[in-house]
Amino acid sequence: MPSCRRGEKIFGVAKSNKSSGFYRQLSSAAALMVMMAVHLYGQQNPAPLHLRTDLLLHTDQVRKNGLPVNIPLESAIAQPEVYQFARVFNPQPQFSWALDAAMNGTSAYRILLASSPQLLQQNQVDYWDSQKVKSDQKHTMYRGKPLLPGKVYYWKVQVWNRKNQPGDFSSMASFYLSPPDPVEQFAHHPLAAEIQKPTALVKGVTGSYFLDFGKDALAQLQLHLTSEKTDSIWIEVGELLEAPQVIHKNPGRNIRYMKIALLVRKGTYDYTIKWPTNEKRNSRNPILMPEYIGEVYPFRYVSIENFAGTLTPESVQRKIVFYPFAENASSFTSSDTILNQVWDLCKYSIKATSFTGYYVDGDRERIPYEADALINQLSHYAVDAEYSMARSSMVYMLYHPTWPTEWSLQNVLLAWNDYLYTGDDAFIKKYYADLQRKTLQALAGPNHLISTRTNLQTDEFLTSIHMTKIFDGRRGLHDNVDWPQNGNYIGPEKEHPGETDGFVYNAYNAVVNAYYYRNLVLMEKMATLLQKTEDANNYRIKAQQVYTAFQNVFRDPSTGLIKDGDSTSHSSLHANMFALAFGLVPAQDQEKVLRFMQSRGMACSVYGAQFLLEALYDYGFGDYALELMTATTQRSWYNMIRSGSTITMEAWDKVYKPNLDLNHAWGAAPGNIMVRKLMGIEPLSPGFDTFQIKPQVGKLTNARLTTPTINGEVSVACKKKQDQNSMEVIIPGGTIATVYVPHHPQQPQLRINGKKVSKAPQNGFFVIKNVRPGRHVFTTE
């Protein structure tokens, strides 16, 4: 910040003891001008924000049994059996920060790191002073003297703007450097918890009560009861109702209901319900809850019978468990009330299903599945700028693979998303060799395509991808396409057996090879990133070979559609939507494929819907994609809401999967599709330093979205009027956006921040490049 002395010099006002009115007025005016200059200077170069250590925010937060407590991190690490706190394992952590929207960019940074807050407050260090580093980057690796595990460190950062003017130092951040852990490779937070009161309490006949907590959650039940006598009470918990204020006792095989007897003593006491161990689930090696949290159970509703006392909302509370989640980091609202409800459903699903700290398939198995994780990852990034949970899950799944062939191929997609959204290549560097093997290139035949049915799944191969155990009675990989794969049901869509649209399984499978092609494309990018030139060239050549082979084997020349396999003429929705989503449909066939996809409707599962919607938006069928997201049919997200679920379900309805559960985040695809495709916010370069805003809002007359990125929040608001359409965007500091403003023939004139601009549209959009940080308004009229 400039001093007053500097301000006096700028405005040429010398100090004076003269007291004439003229000098007093001049001095007052000069002082006002100096204050204004100081204020404007500070606005143009504010201190850095959102300090992260190895991608973690709020590394100084301390918890006890999941609940936040206000004690210093230094005190907490002395009692690790009592308190939980974030752990950083990397002795050379990466430090990153964001910039205020007033900052167009930076020219340099300086980091100070000390072993005590007192030193750092005085701008003194005993570990690292990076000095002024000329760079426009917003992240750097620690390069000070060796850090000692088991200690807390404190750091802050200062930046210079593009005019080489220094700003203030950021607020101080602290972190605990944990001793090495053979299981945990990346920094992570402990699980969080929140105490909730019921949103509704209804008194029934004598001694009976019904309570509604508003939404389903993985939680514990805590009671604070004053009873007039010692006696047993009955407690029911469940996820669904069968009648008003009546919990469903037989809701389905994996939709939860439990009835428990509890002995209540006369007087006032606290009780916590102990959930029974699920032996069947535990036999399958699930993710277990940590001891500091204990077991959880999914429920929304509670009923109590035979209680001799009076209940209040304070008497019955639940403790919900989740990975730390920023509730206010994202928001969405639009002119379509169903779409708004679908957004709320998907956003809450990400929080509610994070209860283990890993991306698991839900409460039924609590196992990380690669395909579940991919959708979970993208939707998590869309609603909260949190990256450590994805990384923990990615590491786990590399070494604990599941049986579907396509699931193995998801690992490369997960790793690329991690890099694209964070800008940090640590995961790719560390696990590059594993990712190479997960491409399943060892299963490629002489035709360059891969197959699990040509006797190439040797023990050596399976060991190389860490598949050493029998899973679900299966040995090795098996093609999946979609889940469940088959089944007969009664419903309006009965022409779609199972969720695979009648897919015909062959030796060579179009869906598997679409994933394989995408893996090769991404591996070329990763090899280039790591400067492995020979690898990059090999992946580029291999991808070209697979592209050609895919056309020769799977493209039906008579229709332009993609066939399911190498020895069938059947074309399913899946073969076509995956090929289109991964860039395998030639330009001349794209319209035919899109029309065919439209004719099949939602003939896929909630998992397949992710790729269906992506393909539709990417190739100009956004209006139809919006129809699918706002549908009210049985195969829709609204049907989940109508069925009584407040978390996305494992399938569209019980008729398609009788053993579904009500807490599967792989059903939350609209959470990321609304951000990435409907409102069009996607990174163009790693770390969101450059990104695009390309809204395709279709029939919506207004839509407003805020989504977090590692660089700060991006906001987009679209509004349609008869004579004018407007689009307002907010770009975070230190980033550059390419903005696509929808073009309407009746509104040929473009204005940017009120000024007329002469610009020709391209493919239905006015394309404005190099949009700098801050608020901008684009209108067409």
Side-chain angles (χ1 to χ4, degrees):
M1 295 287 289
S3 66
C4 288
R5 182 180 301 276
R6 184 177 178 185
E8 290 168 351
K9 183 177 180 181
I10 289 173
F11 293 105
V13 181
K15 291 184 179 179
S16 173
N17 292 325
K18 295 181 180 180
S19 58
S20 70
F22 172 79
Y23 278 103
R24 283 198 302 273
Q25 290 178 352
L26 181 60
S27 297
S28 298
L32 179 61
M33 294 174 71
V34 168
M35 290 170 63
M36 291 174 63
V38 170
H39 177 65
L40 290 173
Y41 188 105
Q43 278 189 324
Q44 292 169 356
N45 199 13
L49 309 166
H50 310 313
L51 272 60
R52 294 175 183 263
T53 305
D54 268 359
L55 298 180
L56 287 191
L57 287 168
H58 311 305
T59 43
D60 59 348
Q61 175 66 71
V62 178
R63 298 182 182 274
K64 183 177 181 181
N65 300 326
L67 297 171
V69 292
N70 187 24
I71 68 167
L73 186 54
E74 282 275 14
S75 302
I77 67 167
Q79 302 180 71
E81 70 284 355
V82 177
Y83 299 106
Q84 301 88 47
F85 35 84
R87 294 175 183 270
V88 174
F89 299 98
N90 184 3
Q92 286 188 289
Q94 177 174 267
F95 300 123
S96 57
W97 54 92
L99 302 176
D100 188 276
M103 292 282 284
N104 282 328
T106 58
S107 60
Y109 66 82
R110 181 189 181 193
I111 291 179
L112 303 181
L113 187 142
S115 62
S116 76
Q118 292 79 18
L119 278 175
L120 201 62
Q121 285 166 357
Q122 299 172 23
N123 291 345
Q124 298 179 10
V125 302
D126 55 353
Y127 273 82
W128 189 36
D129 181 347
S130 72
Q131 302 297 323
K132 181 181 179 181
V133 179
K134 292 184 178 180
S135 172
D136 62 355
Q137 291 188 333
K138 300 182 288 297
H139 58 84
T140 188
M141 182 183 292
Y142 177 74
R143 293 184 175 85
K145 73 178 188 180
L147 300 178
L148 303 176
K151 292 180 61 65
V152 176
Y153 295 93
Y154 304 83
W155 70 282
K156 60 184 179 181
V157 61
Q158 175 188 28
V159 296
W160 281 255
N161 65 14
R162 289 185 171 181
K163 296 180 180 179
N164 201 31
Q165 298 167 322
D168 288 342
F169 271 102
S170 67
S171 299
M172 185 186 308
S174 61
F175 67 95
Y176 170 70
L177 181 63
S178 176
D181 187 317
V183 176
E184 297 291 351
Q185 301 296 314
F186 292 103
H188 65 86
H189 284 289
L191 292 177
E194 177 184 321
I195 303 298
Q196 295 181 333
K197 297 178 183 178
T199 58
L201 188 156
V202 180
K203 185 175 181 180
V205 297
T206 304
S208 70
Y209 294 85
F210 170 82
L211 304 97
D212 181 359
F213 283 89
K215 290 184 178 181
D216 201 358
L218 278 294
Q220 296 163 349
L221 185 61
Q222 300 179 341
L223 309 175
H224 179 75
L225 303 178
T226 299
S227 178
E228 298 169 2
K229 61 181 180 179
T230 298
D231 199 358
S232 290
I233 65 172
W234 287 103
I235 300 173
E236 290 180 298
V237 296
E239 295 185 281
L240 290 180
L241 298 180
E242 59 180 330
Q245 301 167 26
V246 178
I247 301 176
H248 207 310
K249 297 176 176 57
N250 187 28
R253 286 160 56 184
N254 291 295
I255 301 173
R256 301 306 188 191
Y257 166 81
M258 186 182 297
K259 187 172 184 178
I260 303 166
L262 176 68
L263 180 64
V264 175
R265 291 176 288 171
K266 182 179 180 180
T268 302
Y269 295 93
D270 291 328
Y271 307 88
T272 298
I273 302 301
K274 183 175 176 61
W275 305 122
T277 301
N278 189 322
E279 298 293 352
K280 179 180 178 181
R281 179 172 60 217
N282 287 356
S283 68
R284 294 170 55 80
N285 194 31
I287 301 294
L288 300 177
M289 299 301 297
E291 290 185 6
Y292 66 84
I293 291 290
E295 191 52 87
V296 292
Y297 191 80
F299 68 93
R300 171 180 173 177
Y301 305 105
V302 177
S303 70
I304 295 177
E305 296 179 4
N306 198 42
F307 175 58
T310 300
L311 290 186
T312 67
E314 287 73 26
S315 304
V316 183
Q317 299 182 353
R318 71 174 181 182
K319 179 181 177 181
I320 70 168
V321 177
F322 52 94
Y323 198 74
F325 187 82
E327 296 279 0
N328 298 322
S330 63
S331 62
F332 175 82
T333 186
S334 75
S335 55
D336 192 297
T337 58
I338 289 178
L339 192 65
N340 298 343
Q341 293 176 70
V342 171
W343 165 266
D344 291 341
L345 173 74
C346 293
K347 177 178 175 178
Y348 179 68
S349 298
I350 298 304
K351 175 182 178 179
T353 59
S354 68
F355 63 100
T356 66
Y358 292 83
Y359 294 151
V360 296
D361 71 320
D363 176 61
R364 177 164 58 89
E365 295 182 86
R366 300 191 187 177
I367 293 175
Y369 283 87
E370 298 89 337
D372 298 63
L374 180 72
I375 298 170
N376 209 323
Q377 175 194 43
L378 288 171
S379 293
H380 199 163
Y381 293 171
V383 299
D384 189 9
E386 206 297 311
Y387 310 102
S388 59
M389 187 173 167
R391 285 198 164 179
S392 295
S393 304
M394 289 157 60
V395 174
Y396 184 92
M397 290 180 297
L398 283 176
Y399 296 100
H400 299 84
T402 56
W403 63 263
T405 312
E406 299 94 322
W407 275 214
S408 179
L409 296 161
Q410 308 272 5
N411 287 280
V412 173
L413 276 64
L414 285 157
W416 184 251
N417 289 338
D418 171 81
Y419 175 58
L420 195 57
Y421 278 78
T422 68
D424 179 22
D425 62 4
F427 186 91
I428 292 174
K429 281 182 176 177
K430 187 174 181 65
Y431 295 107
Y432 177 75
D434 276 303
L435 293 170
Q436 287 183 295
R437 292 188 286 270
K438 293 289 186 177
T439 65
L440 308 183
Q441 192 170 342
L443 299 182
N447 61 359
H448 303 296
L449 302 173
I450 63 171
S451 173
T452 58
R453 301 184 180 189
T454 53
N455 300 318
L456 293 177
Q457 290 201 70
T458 63
D459 288 342
E460 181 182 6
F461 162 73
L462 293 174
T463 300
S464 75
I465 61 171
H466 308 295
M467 184 166 275
T468 57
K469 298 178 181 179
I470 294 176
F471 195 95
D472 281 347
R474 300 170 185 256
R475 168 70 170 162
L477 297 170
H478 300 266
D479 297 359
N480 182 59
V481 175
D482 209 338
W483 190 256
Q485 291 177 314
N486 49 49
N488 297 314
Y489 54 80
I490 298 172
E493 296 86 4
K494 62 183 178 181
E495 68 273 15
H496 305 313
E499 300 290 59
T500 61
D501 193 28
F503 188 91
V504 178
Y505 293 82
N506 289 183
Y508 288 94
N509 173 340
V511 172
V512 166
N513 279 283
Y515 269 108
Y516 179 47
Y517 172 74
R518 181 60 178 161
N519 270 228
L520 296 172
V521 170
L522 294 181
M523 287 305 303
E524 181 195 351
K525 295 177 183 289
M526 294 184 197
T528 301
L529 169 69
L530 302 183
Q531 298 182 333
K532 296 179 181 291
T533 306
E534 184 176 354
D535 282 1
N537 287 334
N538 288 338
Y539 283 121
R540 177 178 51 79
I541 293 169
K542 180 60 66 176
Q544 291 171 348
Q545 292 171 335
V546 172
Y547 182 91
T548 300
F550 194 96
Q551 307 307 317
N552 292 337
V553 173
F554 300 121
R555 180 180 178 271
D556 186 336
S558 66
T559 63
L561 302 181
I562 304 302
K563 300 182 296 182
D564 296 347
D566 62 321
S567 57
T568 180
S569 60
H570 185 264
S571 292
S572 66
L573 170 66
H574 296 72
N576 285 272
M577 73 184 187
F578 280 106
L580 188 63
F582 294 148
L584 282 160
V585 176
Q588 69 269 21
D589 293 338
Q590 289 169 7
E591 179 75 17
K592 300 172 189 175
V593 167
L594 284 160
R595 293 297 176 191
F596 171 76
M597 289 165 54
Q598 188 175 24
S599 75
R600 303 309 296 148
M602 189 66 85
C604 59
S605 78
V606 296
Y607 152 72
Q610 171 74 42
F611 304 93
L612 171 60
L613 294 172
E614 284 200 28
L616 292 172
Y617 272 111
D618 285 347
Y619 290 91
F621 269 47
D623 290 357
Y624 174 56
L626 181 58
E627 283 182 28
L628 294 178
M629 285 198 292
T630 56
T632 58
T633 58
Q634 197 174 53
R635 303 175 74 84
S636 70
W637 287 276
Y638 186 74
N639 185 61
M640 300 182 190
I641 299 168
R642 183 170 53 212
S643 299
S645 189
T646 56
I647 306 173
T648 51
M649 292 160 37
E650 185 182 4
W652 298 118
D653 196 274
K654 283 195 293 185
V655 298
Y656 309 116
K657 195 172 191 299
N659 68 337
L660 64 72
D661 62 21
L662 301 188
N663 37 65
H664 245 73
W666 87 334
N672 73 79
I673 293 294
M674 287 189 210
V675 173
R676 298 168 54 238
K677 304 300 181 180
L678 176 74
M679 302 302 280
I681 303 170
E682 293 192 272
L684 296 176
S685 62
F688 248 97
D689 287 339
T690 62
F691 64 96
Q692 71 175 24
I693 301 176
K694 188 178 182 180
Q696 299 181 63
V697 298
K699 66 181 181 181
L700 303 178
T701 57
N702 65 76
R704 178 179 293 273
L705 170 81
T706 297
T707 188
T709 75
I710 198 164
N711 282 318
E713 294 179 350
V714 177
S715 293
V716 183
C718 299
K719 184 177 291 187
K720 295 180 182 178
K721 295 181 181 179
Q722 188 172 0
D723 57 346
Q724 183 187 77
N725 290 352
S726 66
M727 178 176 165
E728 176 185 302
V729 303
I730 298 178
I731 311 298
T735 67
I736 298 174
T738 298
V739 178
Y740 292 75
V741 180
H743 168 252
H744 304 276
Q746 296 81 15
Q747 298 174 5
Q749 178 62 59
L750 172 68
R751 290 180 183 267
I752 301 178
N753 297 325
K755 296 182 179 179
K756 288 186 177 181
V757 175
S758 179
K759 195 173 186 66
Q762 304 173 32
N763 299 319
F765 292 92
F766 293 109
V767 183
I768 299 93
K769 297 182 178 180
N770 299 316
V771 181
R772 297 290 177 173
R775 176 180 174 271
H776 305 276
V777 178
F778 306 89
T779 57
T780 58
E781 55 189 23

